[in-house]
Amino acid sequence: MAGTYEEFKQNFLRLSGIDLNSYKESQMKRRIDNFYTRRKLADYNEFFQELSRNVEMQKEFTSYLTINVSEFYRNPPQWITVENEVYPTLIERFGKRLKIWSAACSTGDEPYTLAMLLAEHIPLSQVEILATDLDDEIMAKAKEGRYIEKSVRGLPKKYRDKYIIPDGNGYVKVSDEIKSRITFKHHDLLKDPYPTGMHLIVCRNVMIYFTEEAKDKIYHKFSDSLVDNGLFFVGSTEQIIGASKYGFKTRQSFFYEKTKE
């Protein structure tokens, strides 16, 4: 029975495969409490029983847990750095066939932005971005590439004009030529194997929700996923403490470089 929060975490792990122990307890517990009380469920026990028999609620809860907050060109100065410094550096080092991974990509705003910016440097036909997330429903929306207009307001006009198409009723869609350059796959940062040989990994505004122990494991895996001299782009609220133990050195704020072993 799921009478306590600890028991709920154990039962939810068996039910969904998602380990809530790796997330900061105060933040996660607050979010879970808010979710079930708004649905007029009495406690963790009643909530778990409802999740066990209600597949739609289970899907909704998983989406809620994964904290899907994103937008195109979020934190513009960092994207200017990607376009003007990161991409030219990577192309000089590794050529035009770059392997790029947008981890915990949420609604797809980030990998689409990565593709648009890279197409300024190489032919669009050579752009390949891997985009992954734990939430399959959110990724389905990402694949669709349809957004409210507000989501793309921060995107520079040259990209909006070239790759964003009005879809009516306050919605827009990403052009098929950009969508075709993104490969979306399910991936759990906590337990699934990581891709290898990456030249650039982008994982922003996600690590803040994990415990220090979980972050330590994930940073080691990200480092192993990168080639030597590859780059790691993190969120504006994140900083890697003791980056050197993961084989990283700070290139500049929010960007880390994997050093040669």
Side-chain angles (χ1 to χ4, degrees):
M1 300 297 283
T4 68
Y5 180 60
E6 290 301 317
E7 291 170 327
F8 175 82
K9 288 190 294 184
Q10 293 171 18
N11 284 321
F12 187 66
L13 175 60
R14 286 193 291 269
L15 178 69
S16 67
I18 297 173
D19 187 0
L20 298 178
N21 287 305
S22 296
Y23 295 85
K24 292 180 180 176
E25 181 168 321
S26 59
Q27 294 178 353
M28 186 56 66
K29 190 172 183 296
R30 186 167 58 248
R31 289 178 64 80
I32 293 171
D33 290 354
N34 184 52
F35 185 93
Y36 78 72
T37 55
R38 282 195 286 115
R39 285 152 184 81
K40 304 191 184 320
L41 298 169
D43 52 29
Y44 292 118
N45 179 60
E46 188 174 344
F47 179 37
F48 181 74
Q49 297 306 318
E50 187 63 27
L51 285 176
S52 298
R53 59 177 171 256
N54 188 331
V55 175
E56 288 306 312
M57 180 179 284
Q58 192 180 140
K59 289 179 181 178
E60 182 185 357
F61 181 57
T62 300
S63 292
Y64 177 78
L65 286 182
T66 50
I67 315 166
N68 296 294
V69 178
S70 188
E71 63 186 55
F72 286 77
Y73 217 72
R74 188 178 183 184
N75 307 119
Q78 296 167 31
W79 288 107
I80 291 170
T81 297
V82 170
E83 182 174 354
N84 295 339
E85 298 180 37
V86 170
Y87 278 154
T89 296
L90 292 176
I91 291 169
E92 181 180 355
R93 288 177 179 175
F94 306 112
K96 294 182 178 181
R97 291 291 185 181
L98 296 177
K99 294 182 69 174
I100 299 171
W101 177 22
S102 175
C105 69
S106 186
T107 51
D109 317 42
E110 188 172 272
Y112 288 135
T113 302
L114 285 165
M116 293 176 194
L117 270 59
L118 185 54
E120 293 293 298
H121 297 277
I122 66 175
L124 184 56
S125 61
Q126 294 182 19
V127 172
E128 295 181 10
I129 311 285
L130 171 64
T132 66
D133 202 272
L134 173 66
D135 188 338
D136 292 329
E137 284 204 50
I138 287 297
M139 275 205 301
K141 294 180 180 178
K143 290 178 185 178
E144 183 183 6
R146 187 170 184 261
Y147 302 88
I148 58 173
E149 287 181 352
K150 178 182 175 183
S151 296
V152 300
R153 285 178 186 166
L155 196 62
K157 187 175 185 299
K158 66 178 179 179
Y159 298 121
R160 293 201 311 271
D161 289 348
K162 191 181 291 189
Y163 302 118
I164 301 297
I165 303 163
D167 197 29
N169 299 315
Y171 284 84
V172 298
K173 61 182 180 180
V174 176
S175 70
D176 288 342
E177 58 180 347
I178 284 292
K179 286 199 292 184
S180 69
R181 310 321 304 166
I182 315 296
T183 300
F184 289 98
K185 290 185 178 180
H186 175 94
H187 186 268
D188 185 337
L189 290 172
L190 294 168
K191 65 179 185 180
D192 290 335
Y194 282 38
T196 57
M198 293 291 130
H199 301 112
L200 172 65
I201 296 175
V202 183
C203 185
R204 306 173 72 219
N205 308 307
V206 175
M207 302 298 288
I208 54 174
Y209 300 106
F210 290 117
T211 64
E212 292 304 313
E213 181 181 8
K215 284 194 284 189
D216 184 69
K217 292 177 181 177
I218 292 170
Y219 283 140
H220 275 297
K221 290 179 181 179
F222 276 140
S223 180
D224 290 342
S225 184
L226 280 169
V227 299
D228 289 343
N229 301 124
L231 299 178
F232 183 33
F233 177 19
V234 303
S236 58
T237 58
E238 297 162 324
Q239 180 181 3
I240 304 178
I241 306 300
S244 61
K245 74 175 180 176
Y246 307 112
F248 291 137
K249 67 177 181 181
T250 304
R251 182 178 174 89
Q252 62 186 80
S253 296
F254 319 118
F255 295 89
Y256 294 85
E257 182 173 330
K258 182 179 176 180
T259 56
K260 290 186 177 181
E261 297 182 6

